[in-house]
């Protein structure tokens, strides 16, 4: 039978070469195939989310309500930026076009970013920032637990390291949400408003698409919807103690994972990427 | 209303199994937050494996004016120190 | 320095001293540390509160010019390094406020004095960071100047201040190096990067020299502070040391120190250099620097906007304590 053009792998020779390279560095890598695109997409979704959220909370440095909080929040930002370096490096490796983590962070436009919309929401007041952090941490923690059992050992290794960091993030953000929810009338009001405001941005974390299904089928990452029950439980527990009301609505804004963002991301990127864009090719 | 978070003293035990050591102080609304703040403020460079915190106001300290009676008497008990005793070199290390 | 123009008491002659003051001075002369609850002259306590407070304020106001560039850092690694560095400054502020608190003033009180303009912070932080090279220059020159002063202060007579300085010096060792590393990259980079590096040096050189404060060789305030070992060197000594150390570093980078009169003086074994414009210094101290309003405004805003947060946590802690307290017998 004559060989037919292969529609899913446009350049088999390239892929084979890439496989040989990565296989020598990481013996247990799954074989490259059409799923690689979904795999690198999944890694961008992770790395972009930690990048944009880390960027957002780093905006607080020097402006927090107390020195202790300033230092603590900077630690969270540092963890997230560190995780970004790992996820985006791996994304570049899997993509196989020779792009580094910095290339991906600094030289893509907004439509190529794959972060969750909740990460790019403006900081608002400190309570709003903490509520966003709590909603994200509760999901992030579950996600990393699942990723620690990934069929891809590189993913599992990063997830194990990041998981320890995020366990602490969640502990801290939960404790603060409880205290502020059950604090003064004003702090309660502000936290409830933050929760109501952010609620419609939380659902996106659990909505899967074809790419999610593909990596889930290969055992690389969990199905996003599978994380919902544990997340609900964490929220139930923490928000009850915080005397806050979980909003009723189930509407979820989405699109971040597919590159359709809010207006905020463009401003974040124009600030973040300024030097790389203004002085192309310079080394810093 | 403006009420300052109380002051806490922070003690950290490092990697090497020595006692908890006083490293400094910080402000926090309660003990649990004080532990977390201590983790964030005083272990940024991998300094510790265990943290104690105690309200500064709960510490009872010896009085500086008692320094003489409290500590000087031990100056004269030189025999408590190993260097007090001469051991001949041929006995070896002791 | 981070504590410039700290008002001290006039120097007392020995025959004017009370027996307690003589005993106190003798302890300091013997190199003993003074601890918080021990007897100390009121002037010593007040001068220290001013000095340590000013030093602490400088750390947290000093977060702002560098913090400016965290969101614009050019690589992920630079972003992390800068964030860690600016975070360290917050930590240093915290250690210093804690040291001041042992003298009977609370951190909130000190903050309020800063916000009311009744306490100062170092003049250097009223200058803007306009380019990425400024982040290099701040680390290299500003931290470099600060270290000149902080290293000897590890031996200061007041125990808590000395211990804070020891911790700060240990942590700060990477700060100046990260600044110089940025400058090296720029100086070896594209023509635009080189221009940026030179421009940063041009703008930060004299403000860095001002950090040490005007000459105090004839000041009675400084003489008293030196007798108390809360000031270890004169401003001129430190400034000279800084210039001698920094000029070869600039030469290595291939940058020009913006002082046509700078030259090596074989006799004194140091550089001769031009004094900064002290009228500019006094304007900046008086509130007329390029960024005074922005810096203080940012601190006040952070404090006021955060009040509900601090109060909320305190209210919760009190509720919890009340819930835990045993119910009073009827």
């Amino acid at each position: 039978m004559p060989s037919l053009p292969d529609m899913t792998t446009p350049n088999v020779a390239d892929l084979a070469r890439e496989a040989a390279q990565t296989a020598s560095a990481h013996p247990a890598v799954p074989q490259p195939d059409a799923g690689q695109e979904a795999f690198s997409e999944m890694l961008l979704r992770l790395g972009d989310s930690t990048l944009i959220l880390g960027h957002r909370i780093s905006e607080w440095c020097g402006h927090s309500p107390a020195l202790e909080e300033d230092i603590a929040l900077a630690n969270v930002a540092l963890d997230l930026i560190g995780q970004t370096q790992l996820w985006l490096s791996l994304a570049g490796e899997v993509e196989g076009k020779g792009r580094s983590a910095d290339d991906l962070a600094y030289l893509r436009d907004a439509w190529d970013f794959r972060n969750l919309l909740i990460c790019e929401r403006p900081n608002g007041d400190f309570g709003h920032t903490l509520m966003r952090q709590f909603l994200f941490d509760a999901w992030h923690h579950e996600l990393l637990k699942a990723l620690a059992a990934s069929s891809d050992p590189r993913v599992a290794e990063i997830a194990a390291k990041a998981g320890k960091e995020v366990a602490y993030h969640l502990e801290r953000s939960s404790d603060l949400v409880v205290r502020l929810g059950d604090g003064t009338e004003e702090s309660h009001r502000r936290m409830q408003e933050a929760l109501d405001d952010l609620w419609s941005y939380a659902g996106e974390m659990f909505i899967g698409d074809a790419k999610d299904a593909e990596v889930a089928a290969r055992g690389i990452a969990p199905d996003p919807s599978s994380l919902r029950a544990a997340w609900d439980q964490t929220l139930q527990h923490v928000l009850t103690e915080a005397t806050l009301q979980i909003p009723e609505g189930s509407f979820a804004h989405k699109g971040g994972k597919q590159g359709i963002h809010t207006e905020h991301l463009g401003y974040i990127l124009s600030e973040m990427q300024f030097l790389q864009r203004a002085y192309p090719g310079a080394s810093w | 209303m403006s009420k300052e978070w109380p002051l806490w003293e922070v003690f950290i035990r490092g990697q090497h199994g020595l006692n908890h050591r006083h490293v400094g102080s910080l402000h926090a609304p309660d003990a649990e937050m004080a532990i977390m703040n201590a983790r964030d403020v005083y272990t940024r460079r991998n300094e510790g494996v265990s943290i104690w915190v105690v309200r500064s106001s709960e510490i009872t300290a010896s009085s500086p004016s008692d320094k003489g009676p409290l500590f000087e008497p031990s100056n004269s008990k030189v025999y408590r120190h190993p260097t007090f005793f001469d051991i001949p070199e041929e006995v070896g290390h002791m | 320095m981070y504590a410039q123009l700290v008002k001290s008491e006039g120097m007392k002659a020995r025959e004017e001293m009370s027996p307690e003051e003589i005993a106190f001075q003798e302890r300091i002369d013997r190199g003993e540390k003074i601890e918080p609850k021990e007897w100390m002259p009121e002037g010593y306590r007040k001068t220290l509160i001013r000095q340590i407070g000013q030093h602490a304020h400088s750390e947290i106001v000093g977060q702002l010019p560098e913090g400016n560039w965290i969101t614009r850092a050019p690589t992920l690694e630079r972003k992390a390094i800068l964030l860690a560095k600016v975070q360290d400054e917050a930590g240093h502020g915290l250690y210093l406020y804690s040291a001041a608190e042992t003298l009977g003033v609370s951190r909130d009180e000190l903050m309020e004095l800063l916000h009311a303009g009744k306490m100062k912070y170092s003049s250097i932080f009223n200058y803007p960071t306009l380019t990425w090279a400024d982040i290099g220059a701040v680390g290299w020159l500003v931290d470099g100047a600060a270290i000149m002063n902080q290293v000897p202060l590890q031996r200061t007579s007041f125990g808590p201040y000395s211990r804070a300085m020891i911790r700060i010096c240990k942590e700060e060792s990477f700060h100046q190096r990260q600044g110089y590393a940025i400058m090296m990259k720029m100086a070896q980079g594209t023509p635009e990067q080189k221009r940026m590096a030179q421009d940063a040096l041009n703008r930060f050189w004299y403000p860095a020299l001002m950090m040490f404060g005007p000459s105090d060789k004839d000041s009675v305030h400084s003489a008293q502070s030196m007798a108390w070992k809360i000031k270890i060197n004169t401003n001129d000594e430190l400034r000279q040391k800084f210039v001698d150390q920094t000029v070869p570093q600039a030469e290595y980078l291939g940058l020009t120190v913006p002082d046509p009169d700078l030259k090596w003086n074989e006799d004194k074994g140091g550089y001769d250099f031009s004094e900064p414009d002290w009228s500019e210094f006094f304007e900046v101290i008086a509130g007329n620097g390029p960024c005074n309003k922005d810096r203080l405004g940012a601190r006040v805003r952070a404090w006021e906007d955060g009040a509900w947060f601090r109060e909320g946590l305190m209210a919760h802690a009190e509720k919890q304590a009340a819930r835990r307290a045993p119910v009073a017998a009827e």
Side-chain angles (χ1 to χ4, degrees), chain C residues 135-164:
Chain C
I135 298 308
V138 168
W140 171 36
L141 301 173
V142 176
D143 289 284
I147 290 166
M148 289 269 129
N149 185 46
Q150 290 174 347
V151 166
L153 273 177
Q154 295 179 95
R155 291 180 284 118
T156 186
S157 62
F158 186 55
Y161 192 24
S162 157
R163 290 189 284 274

Side-chain angles (χ1 to χ4, degrees), chain A residues 182-203:
Chain A
D182 184 29
T184 59
E185 240 171 74
E186 184 182 5
S187 71
H188 177 85
R189 175 181 61 76
R190 285 176 184 261
M191 294 313 279
Q192 186 65 54
E193 279 172 13
L195 179 58
D196 294 346
D197 187 54
L198 288 161
W199 188 247
S200 58
Y201 292 94

Side-chain angles (χ1 to χ4, degrees), chain B:
Chain B
M1 167 180 134
S2 171
K3 207 183 273 176
E4 191 159 357
W5 291 353
L7 194 64
W8 301 77
E9 299 303 320
V10 180
F11 300 81
I12 289 182
R13 178 154 55 75
Q15 316 279 358
H16 309 297
L18 296 176
N19 291 333
H20 282 77
R21 201 167 66 87
H22 182 239
V23 294
S25 40
L26 48 74
H27 289 271
D30 55 51
E32 210 180 330
M33 289 308 303
I35 291 271
M36 289 202 191
N37 290 347
R39 179 265 189 197
D40 282 307
V41 172
Y42 287 106
T43 68
R44 299 201 301 287
R45 287 172 172 76
N46 199 19
E47 291 98 332
V49 294
S50 166
I51 300 173
W52 289 347
V53 294
V54 59
R55 282 279 281 264
S56 308
S57 58
E58 299 290 321
I59 290 194
T60 308
S62 62
S63 156
S65 58
D66 284 348
K67 216 155 59 173
L70 282 180
F71 307 114
E72 275 167 30
S74 66
N75 280 347
S76 57
K77 318 294 194 284
V78 285
Y79 43 79
R80 286 193 188 273
H81 298 279
T83 46
F84 180 75
F85 305 94
D86 287 327
I87 302 293
E89 228 165 81
E90 45 279 33
V91 178
H93 178 73
M94 187 179 282

Side-chain angles (χ1 to χ4, degrees), chain C residues 54-328:
Chain C
Q54 208 181 102
H55 196 155
H57 296 330
S58 298
E59 297 284 355
I60 62 164
V61 176
Q63 287 185 272
L64 300 171
E66 288 181 281
N68 245 336
W69 280 87
I70 292 170
T71 53
R72 286 178 289 174
T75 68
L76 293 171
E77 188 181 59
R78 290 277 175 222
K79 196 195 242 346
I81 293 170
L82 182 60
L83 178 55
K85 194 218 164 201
V86 180
Q87 180 200 39
D88 274 351
E89 313 294 2
H92 298 170
L94 191 152
Y95 307 155
L96 287 160
Y97 284 121
S98 300
E101 283 181 275
T102 65
L103 291 160
V105 60
S106 79
R107 190 209 287 178
D108 284 9
E109 284 165 348
L110 290 169
M111 291 273 186
E112 273 152 22
L113 288 168
L114 169 70
H115 298 156
K118 291 180 182 154
M119 281 184 91
K120 304 275 186 217
Y121 54 88
S122 176
S123 57
I124 191 73
F125 301 118
N126 290 312
Y127 289 88
T129 49
L130 302 175
T131 70
W132 175 250
D134 288 6
I135 298 308
V138 168
W140 171 36
L141 301 173
V142 176
D143 289 284
I147 290 166
M148 289 269 129
N149 185 46
Q150 290 174 347
V151 166
L153 273 177
Q154 295 179 95
R155 291 180 284 118
T156 186
S157 62
F158 186 55
Y161 192 24
S162 157
R163 290 189 284 274
M165 289 321 306
I166 289 168
R167 193 172 185 98
I168 288 171
C169 286
K170 202 167 109 198
E171 294 188 353
E172 200 142 277
S173 52
F174 98 84
H175 292 185
Q176 194 189 9
R177 282 163 172 252
Q178 69 87 34
Y180 197 70
I182 291 175
M183 293 307 272
M184 284 202 295
K185 272 275 185 202
M186 310 278 289
Q188 294 157 9
T190 65
E192 286 146 317
Q193 285 178 305
K194 246 178 252 177
R195 209 180 101 212
M196 228 186 258
Q198 181 64 52
D199 171 67
L201 175 58
N202 292 350
R203 281 180 292 107
F204 275 96
W205 175 254
Y206 287 107
L209 296 187
M210 290 177 202
M211 286 175 69
F212 300 96
S215 179
D216 59 353
K217 55 182 188 296
D218 305 319
S219 156
V220 284
H221 297 306
S222 289
Q224 178 61 75
S225 285
M226 288 176 89
W228 280 335
K229 286 194 193 152
I230 55 185
K231 185 176 169 71
I232 312 288
N233 305 91
T234 67
N235 296 348
D236 292 322
E237 280 167 9
L238 291 172
R239 190 170 11 251
Q240 181 70 50
K241 215 172 149 199
F242 174 74
V243 171
D244 293 345
Q245 175 192 286
T246 308
V247 171
Q249 294 167 351
E251 282 168 358
Y252 178 84
L253 293 172
L255 300 179
T256 310
V257 174
D259 179 359
D261 297 327
L262 181 83
K263 64 169 187 298
W264 179 254
N265 180 333
E266 196 60 57
D267 295 340
K268 75 171 182 189
Y271 285 90
D272 290 332
F273 56 93
S274 305
E275 287 281 307
D277 175 358
W278 291 111
S279 64
E280 177 182 317
F281 171 77
F282 286 108
E283 283 296 344
V284 173
I285 291 285
N288 295 322
C291 300
N292 294 57
K293 287 193 175 67
D294 296 340
R295 299 288 186 251
L296 197 57
R299 286 307 320 162
V300 171
R301 207 158 42 250
W303 185 250
E304 289 176 354
D305 291 353
W308 72 269
F309 170 85
R310 296 188 300 274
E311 285 161 11
L313 291 190
M314 207 55 235
H316 178 82
E318 280 163 4
K319 278 189 207 175
Q320 286 294 87
R323 284 174 201 145
R324 267 195 302 268
V327 182

Side-chain angles (χ1 to χ4, degrees), chain A residues 8-284:
Chain A
T8 48
T9 50
N11 192 337
V12 180
D14 275 357
L15 284 177
R17 206 170 327 113
E18 185 204 318
Q21 274 170 4
T22 46
S24 61
H26 304 280
V29 172
Q31 287 307 300
D33 55 25
Q36 288 299 81
E37 198 210 323
F39 187 13
S40 66
E41 184 82 3
M42 164 219 140
L43 293 165
L44 287 179
R45 290 172 177 181
L46 276 166
D48 288 346
S49 290
T50 52
L51 172 60
I52 299 303
L53 186 61
H55 179 96
R56 268 290 187 230
I57 57 178
S58 78
E59 292 172 7
W60 277 106
C61 186
H63 304 275
S64 306
L67 276 176
E68 286 81 0
E69 288 303 320
D70 209 64
I71 294 167
L73 208 52
N75 276 339
V76 177
L78 283 170
D79 287 343
L80 292 175
I81 294 165
Q83 292 168 19
T84 301
Q85 289 174 297
L86 298 172
W87 290 130
L88 291 186
S89 296
L90 186 54
E93 193 180 317
V94 171
E95 184 194 48
K97 292 183 190 159
R99 292 203 280 185
S100 67
D102 279 338
D103 292 338
L104 289 170
Y106 289 91
L107 300 175
R108 281 178 302 153
D109 200 350
W111 61 56
D112 286 329
F113 269 73
R114 296 290 182 259
N115 60 282
L116 296 166
L117 297 179
I118 195 171
C119 300
E120 66 200 54
R121 296 304 297 158
N123 283 338
D125 66 19
F126 204 70
H128 196 274
T129 292
L130 289 173
M131 183 57 80
R132 182 185 60 197
Q133 196 63 39
F134 166 65
L135 296 174
F136 182 86
D137 291 344
W139 165 80
H140 200 195
H141 183 57
E142 293 304 325
L143 173 66
L144 291 171
K145 270 201 285 188
L147 288 177
S150 170
S151 61
D152 186 289
R154 296 165 299 180
V155 171
E157 193 184 326
I158 298 172
K161 177 186 182 291
K164 286 181 201 143
E165 296 169 349
V166 171
Y168 179 73
H169 300 176
L170 177 60
E171 196 183 330
R172 190 169 178 104
S173 61
S174 308
D175 277 6
L176 286 169
V177 165
V178 166
R179 281 163 172 72
L180 293 168
D182 184 29
T184 59
E185 240 171 74
E186 184 182 5
S187 71
H188 177 85
R189 175 181 61 76
R190 285 176 184 261
M191 294 313 279
Q192 186 65 54
E193 279 172 13
L195 179 58
D196 294 346
D197 187 54
L198 288 161
W199 188 247
S200 58
Y201 292 94
E204 190 186 11
M205 300 187 283
F206 308 103
I207 301 174
D209 61 8
K211 284 171 178 151
D212 287 316
E214 210 166 310
V215 285
R218 294 172 61 200
I220 298 175
D223 179 336
S225 64
S226 69
L227 305 172
R228 179 86 201 210
W231 184 80
D232 279 336
Q233 216 177 353
T234 306
L235 259 71
Q236 190 68 42
H237 173 72
V238 171
L239 296 176
T240 304
E241 208 185 327
T243 70
L244 295 170
Q245 284 291 326
I246 297 182
E248 302 265 309
S250 60
F251 174 77
H253 290 284
K254 56 183 193 288
K257 287 163 71 174
Q258 291 78 29
I260 301 163
H261 290 274
T262 66
E263 291 175 347
H264 301 289
L265 185 64
Y267 290 99
I268 293 177
L269 296 185
S270 56
E271 189 172 339
M272 186 172 88
Q273 300 178 338
F274 156 67
L275 279 168
Q276 290 283 359
R277 301 292 195 179
Y279 302 95
S283 153
W284 304 93

